[in-house]
Amino acid sequence: MQLGQSSSLSVLLVLLLLLCHENKFHRWKVNGAISAFQPTIFDNAQWRVIFHLYRNVTMMMAGRTGYKTSGKFLQNKIPESVPFPCDVTVGRSPEPPTSVHKLRPGDINVVAAIGDSVITASGASATSFLQLYTENRGLSWCIGGQWGWRNATTLPNILKMFNPKLVGYSYRDSYSFHWDSQFNNAEIGAVSKELPHMAAQMVTRIRTDKRVNFQKDWKLLTITIGGNDICAYVCTLKDPESLPMQHRRSLLKMLRYLRDNLPRTLVNIVSVPDVSTVVSIKKKPMMCWILHHAECPCWVGPLHNSTKESRARWARIQMQYRKVEEEVAMLDEFRGLDEFAVVHQPWTRNLSLMKGNEVDYTLLSYDCFHMSQKGHSQAAVAYWNNLLEPPGKKSTGWKPGIDVFRCPSKESPYIYTYDNS
């Protein structure tokens, strides 16, 4: 064999190894009957192979960072001497409920998530620019199941205390097409108009998983999206003020599809935090200042002629965008159903990054934009508390640790919906 042929073969073998370096690599497929949800021409088998190859290469270059055990970006481990705050026997029904309005935390068999980098936990354990490419999905506040509640306080790790047989949570660092991501279907860069397609993919994942009793298992789905719409998309529209209405249409299409195709499901819509909370930080590190120009160009930098007036405009649109989510969740068409409910959880409404008079950068990743693992742990507790707080009385911020940790009680054992409060 000639040298050139040998080199070409070696390169091909290396590329194949990179493409399949995950020993549990799995290509999730979408049924052709719902292919109409595909948002772009790039969503086909050929482009997916190229995309997967690129992502696998970046994963190998950045490395797995989610197993770090030291660093200011990590939550303080909860000592073994501190018991789990809740009576787990109260948190699970003697028999599986037949109504979503009688659902206790331990009745949830499956967790899933749709959204953007807020859910992928991008760079949650990053300490360098390159590590921002790693998605620490196992540490994600709403869908990560790595370790346990003491050193990775996530919603699944809390729910596992009530139901150890819970499935769907991400195991470790991974991308959405890796087996380890499980039912975390979030994607970095995702925007609202992709929600229907992502929902269709999610239903396919759950329906084809042999661990799931599709008709009988209770499912909790978290949806968080909007950061990319508000940061990088709104200023490219001819009519930016139309974005909230576009978001409304996407939400309705997605929720109607889920209602009709995913039985026994509680959907929680969590609005993305106000982007001005991070992009408006004064005296931030130089690397954060640079990265914010790329991550949120509508608000920062000269690319879209960002000004005080334009930022005020985007802020008004963002407020309407979040208001749409609250309104859609309360629509009559999603009320009064036994096997489907939608609730807006408002814990992100008044987030603060301040610790005294200074910004607590330990809550943020290396880019000062995404959450660190410590931030994800605080988010998880805030989200958990929202589930057990009645509408109209839900907390709208977060606090460190588990000093405020709601529990199901004999008087109020159920996860709150708009129809049981």
Side-chain angles (χ1 to χ4, degrees), residues 88-106:
V88 297
T89 60
V90 177
R92 187 167 187 174
S93 303
E95 297 292 333
T98 57
S99 171
V100 68
H101 311 296
K102 300 289 185 181
L103 193 63
R104 305 188 191 197

Side-chain angles (χ1 to χ4, degrees), residues 151-375:
N151 51 0
T153 308
T154 65
L155 180 67
N157 282 340
I158 294 171
L159 291 175
K160 281 190 285 183
M161 297 300 295
F162 296 91
N163 180 8
K165 295 182 179 180
L166 184 75
V167 300
Y169 53 84
S170 298
Y171 294 141
R172 59 173 181 167
D173 299 351
S174 52
Y175 295 135
S176 63
F177 54 89
H178 290 152
W179 176 257
D180 287 322
S181 73
Q182 293 292 287
F183 300 157
N184 181 345
N185 200 43
E187 283 285 1
I188 60 169
V191 292
S192 173
K193 65 181 180 180
E194 296 171 316
L195 285 174
H197 174 67
M198 297 172 82
Q201 285 184 317
M202 180 56 61
V203 170
T204 299
R205 288 192 185 194
I206 297 174
R207 187 193 299 274
T208 56
D209 195 301
K210 295 181 180 179
R211 299 169 299 172
V212 177
N213 186 323
F214 188 72
Q215 295 296 331
K216 293 185 178 181
D217 282 350
W218 283 103
K219 309 159 191 75
L220 186 148
L221 173 60
T222 306
I223 298 168
T224 298
I225 204 161
N228 299 298
D229 289 279
I230 298 299
C231 266
Y233 182 55
V234 64
C235 56
T236 67
L237 296 174
K238 291 183 178 180
D239 179 16
E241 276 71 21
S242 68
L243 180 62
M245 188 55 64
Q246 293 180 31
H247 184 43
R248 181 185 179 89
R249 287 194 292 267
S250 295
L251 281 173
L252 285 172
K253 189 173 183 180
M254 174 197 65
L255 290 172
R256 288 165 180 164
Y257 177 83
L258 291 171
R259 178 194 60 196
D260 298 338
N261 292 276
L262 194 62
R264 293 200 167 185
T265 299
L266 172 61
V267 177
N268 291 295
I269 299 176
V270 180
S271 299
V272 293
D274 185 344
V275 299
S276 67
T277 304
V278 288
V279 298
S280 299
I281 294 175
K282 297 179 180 179
K283 299 180 180 180
K284 52 190 160 189
M286 178 59 70
M287 182 56 70
C288 296
W289 182 83
I290 294 172
L291 289 172
H292 286 181
H293 281 67
E295 292 171 320
C296 206
C298 292
W299 291 64
V300 182
L303 182 61
H304 295 288
N305 300 316
S306 176
T307 63
K308 182 179 179 180
E309 290 73 22
S310 67
R311 288 191 292 273
R313 184 185 186 187
W314 311 145
R316 290 192 296 270
I317 293 173
Q318 179 179 229
M319 188 179 300
Q320 290 299 315
Y321 189 101
R322 299 170 79 179
K323 185 178 180 181
V324 160
E325 294 176 331
E326 297 182 37
E327 292 173 348
V328 168
M330 297 183 68
L331 288 176
D332 288 344
E333 64 179 289
F334 305 123
R335 301 283 296 274
L337 305 174
D338 285 331
E339 294 200 350
F340 188 81
V342 183
V343 181
H344 180 265
Q345 307 295 357
W347 66 266
T348 60
R349 186 181 298 160
N350 296 310
L351 286 193
S352 173
L353 298 174
M354 304 304 292
K355 186 176 183 179
N357 296 322
E358 297 183 352
V359 175
D360 185 359
Y361 285 103
T362 65
L363 296 172
L364 298 173
S365 179
Y366 181 76
D367 61 357
C368 307
F369 190 81
H370 296 92
M371 291 184 290
S372 66
Q373 189 277 322
K374 183 178 180 180

